[in-house]
Amino acid sequence: MAGTTRPIDARGWLFEVQDLEAETETWLPIAGIDSWSMNPGENEETSENTAFDSEGYYEEDVMQRGASITVEGKFRIHKVTKERDPGQAYIDGDWTNRLGFDSHNPIRYRHNTQTSWVVWDATMSPGEQSGGNNDKTAWSATFRRNGKPTTAVVTP
């Protein structure tokens, strides 16, 4: 088996947000991403169970699991129409201002070598948009998983 496995390219990861206002199920790819990070321990909570009979060794149980994904990249527009990238526009224009129950929205992600998506019910915090003299405008968002993730088969 040695030598038959290879690392995968970070640029092969795909991230999409579901447009909840569309009449049919519509997933919008998020364009312009040039880096991403996942924290599978975000919002994890544990309960310490160490007692005298633990014989001096620490014990705990995980009581809550969480996770987050941050995507960072460049603010994108269509070079001819000047319209915003649909994924970024949905996040900034539709999702950002929602509160309470409405602050939830599905996202999904996978590597282009995988045959199924990981789907999260997520809340989102918009990131900073910034730039300087010789920069392109930066764009980012952080998604936090709510509940247990699910999967969905990739369909053409």
Side-chain angles (χ1 to χ4, degrees), residues 97-110:
N97 296 317
R98 295 190 210 149
L99 302 170
F101 297 124
D102 294 333
S103 67
H104 292 249
N105 205 100
I107 65 163
R108 66 184 184 182
Y109 65 94
R110 71 178 179 91

Side-chain angles (χ1 to χ4, degrees), residues 27-83:
W27 289 90
L28 305 170
I30 304 170
I33 296 171
D34 56 32
S35 69
W36 65 275
S37 62
M38 176 156 67
N39 180 350
E42 178 86 10
N43 295 319
E44 184 175 278
E45 295 289 338
T46 61
S47 173
E48 183 190 344
N49 299 324
T50 308
F52 290 163
D53 58 355
S54 300
E55 300 176 359
Y57 291 95
Y58 177 80
E59 295 181 14
E60 76 174 17
D61 290 334
V62 176
M63 302 303 291
Q64 171 179 297
R65 297 277 187 198
S68 67
I69 293 175
T70 298
V71 295
E72 298 177 328
K74 305 295 186 287
F75 190 100
R76 287 289 180 109
I77 63 169
H78 189 279
K79 64 183 180 180
V80 175
T81 66
K82 309 299 188 236
E83 290 183 24

Side-chain angles (χ1 to χ4, degrees), residues 9 22 27 46 63 68 70 83 93 96 118 123 128-129 148:
D9 296 334
W27 289 90
T46 61
M63 302 303 291
S68 67
T70 298
E83 290 183 24
T96 292
V118 176
T123 55
E128 294 182 14
Q129 296 176 9
K148 190 174 181 178

Side-chain angles (χ1 to χ4, degrees), residues 30 69-73 91-92 124-128 139-143:
I30 304 170
I69 293 175
T70 298
V71 295
E72 298 177 328
I91 291 166
D92 289 346
M124 182 273 308
S125 294
E128 294 182 14
W139 180 91
S140 65
T142 298
F143 308 97

